[in-house]
């Protein structure tokens, strides 16, 4: 199988809709924003297409500012990439250190195309998702670690043009990810700005995170 060239296909987005402002974050305002966001079927947001960028979804630290948590945390993703979430004392930041989804021997770490079938191989799985996904429908694999961090893999498309995205969302709502949204090397990043399976998969992940967040508020 030919390895995908990702020089212009590695995708990431910066979502600034719910970045916290200076000072303390109002608990009730955060709740209103989160509920409004999850309640909408299609979320309108300002996106900036970047190469190997992080998807930051900082929903606000309830009752306190992101800038009050100093230090840096590195999260290893199953596709070989890493997400760094940190704070310099002056700003909260998320950085993506992407992977093309292959190990050093060229073996797929997320999704494998074999005899015109799509197999999810992340986390040691081997799941044929060919008949479960298309241009609008994703396959979403999620799991929690012992610290309450939500990891996810989103796969979608068809054997002719498929893609994947992986990421992590931490308990305070910060997070990031990266992936390759198209296996076609003749498609520019701009043409991948509205990938329906990716949008739907992100929404599923967001709803799952919100359900846990809401439970923790009780």
């Amino acid at each position: 199988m030919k390895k995908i060239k990702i020089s212009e296909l590695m995708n990431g987005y910066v979502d600034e809709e719910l970045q916290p402002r200076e000072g303390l974050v109002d608990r009730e305002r955060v709740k209103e924003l989160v509920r409004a966001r999850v309640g909408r079927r299609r979320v309108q947001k300002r996106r900036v297409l970047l190469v190997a960028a992080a998807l930051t979804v900082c929903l606000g630290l309830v009752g306190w500012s992101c800038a009050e948590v100093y230090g840096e945390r590195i999260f290893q993703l199953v596709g070989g990439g890493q997400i760094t979430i940190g704070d310099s004392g002056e700003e909260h930041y998320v950085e993506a250190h992407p992977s093309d989804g292959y190990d050093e021997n060229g073996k797929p770490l997320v999704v494998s195309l074999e005899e015109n079938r799509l197999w999810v191989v992340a986390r040691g799985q081997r799941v044929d998702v060919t008949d479960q996904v298309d241009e609008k429908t994703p396959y979403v694999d999620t799991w929690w670690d012992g610290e309450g961090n939500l990891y996810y893999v989103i796969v979608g498309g068809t054997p002719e043009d498929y893609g994947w995205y992986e990421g992590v969302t931490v308990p305070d709502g910060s997070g990031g990810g990266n992936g390759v949204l198209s296996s076609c090397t003749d498609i520019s990043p701009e043409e991948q700005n509205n990938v329906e399976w990716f949008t739907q998969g992100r929404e599923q992940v967001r709803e799952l995170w919100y359900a846990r967040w809401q439970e923790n508020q009780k």
Side-chain angles (χ1 to χ4, degrees), residues 58-130:
C58 189
L59 300 179
L61 302 181
V62 178
W64 48 297
S65 169
C66 286
E68 294 178 7
V69 182
Y70 303 135
E72 189 172 85
R73 291 172 292 173
I74 299 176
F75 299 87
Q76 181 66 49
L77 304 180
V78 295
Q82 292 181 334
I83 297 298
T84 299
I85 301 177
D87 198 283
S88 64
E90 297 180 353
E91 64 176 356
H92 183 76
Y93 60 89
V94 179
E95 298 175 347
H97 308 276
S99 165
D100 61 359
Y102 293 84
D103 66 15
E104 58 185 9
N105 298 315
K107 182 180 179 180
L109 296 172
V110 181
V111 59
S112 177
L113 176 63
E114 303 173 21
E115 298 181 350
N116 210 39
R117 306 292 294 181
L118 293 174
W119 295 82
V120 171
V121 295
R123 298 201 295 152
Q125 303 177 84
R126 186 167 172 77
V127 181
D128 184 350
V129 299
T130 312

Side-chain angles (χ1 to χ4, degrees), residues 135 156-163 181-184 187 197:
E135 295 90 342
T158 66
E160 293 72 33
D161 183 11
Y162 63 94
L181 301 188
S182 175
S183 58
C184 295
I187 295 180
W197 62 260

